[in-house]
């Protein structure tokens, strides 16, 4: 029996960290779907729905990446190259976009109130 190459289970810990990140993104998106329409109208719920869809897609991509890495580490013979950083780049781009939109939303709410 071929034992695990990665005795420290780094691939499993990395997959769990990615899942936690995506679940946090999903939770934030659902909260945004609930809160944003109060300030910006019904169309703004689309931002939260988009975040939830992105979180779901990332969860699927993470599972595929984990399976690929796990089979590559456990397999006999030639190892295929592991995936590049496209997943990390996609998540970073989404996080930066969500941050910019959030800052703009807070600024609109703050500056639209009557200051007395």
């Amino acid at each position: 029996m071929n034992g695990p190459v990665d005795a420290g289970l780094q691939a499993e810990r990395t997959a769990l960290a990615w899942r936690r990140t995506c679940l946090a993104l999903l939770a934030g998106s659902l909260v945004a779907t609930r809160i944003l329409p109060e300030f910006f109208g019904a169309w703004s719920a689309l931002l939260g729905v988009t975040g939830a869809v992105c979180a779901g897609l990332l969860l699927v991509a993470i599972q595929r990446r984990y399976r690929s890495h796990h089979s590559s580490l456990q397999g006999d013979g030639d190892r295929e190259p592991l995936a590049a950083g496209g997943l990390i780049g996609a998540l970073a781009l989404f996080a930066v976009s969500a941050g910019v939109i959030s800052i703009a939303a807070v600024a609109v709410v703050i500056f639209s109130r009557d200051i007395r």
Side-chain angles (χ1 to χ4, degrees), residues 14-97:
T14 301
L16 287 173
W18 272 106
R19 286 183 190 130
R20 284 191 304 268
T21 301
C22 286
L23 289 174
L25 176 63
L26 178 63
S29 297
L30 293 176
V31 168
T33 302
R34 173 85 171 138
I35 292 174
L36 287 179
E38 181 180 336
F39 296 105
F40 302 108
W43 67 270
S44 62
L46 182 63
L47 294 173
V49 171
T50 302
V53 169
C54 287
L57 292 174
L58 281 170
L59 281 170
V60 169
I62 289 162
Q63 185 62 28
R64 291 183 66 206
R65 180 180 177 176
Y66 168 72
R67 285 184 184 163
S68 171
H69 284 208
H70 185 72
S71 65
S72 178
L73 289 171
Q74 296 296 325
D76 292 329
D78 294 336
R79 292 187 180 162
E80 61 187 58
L82 298 177
L87 187 61
I88 295 169
L91 183 60
L93 179 65
F94 183 78
V96 168
S97 300

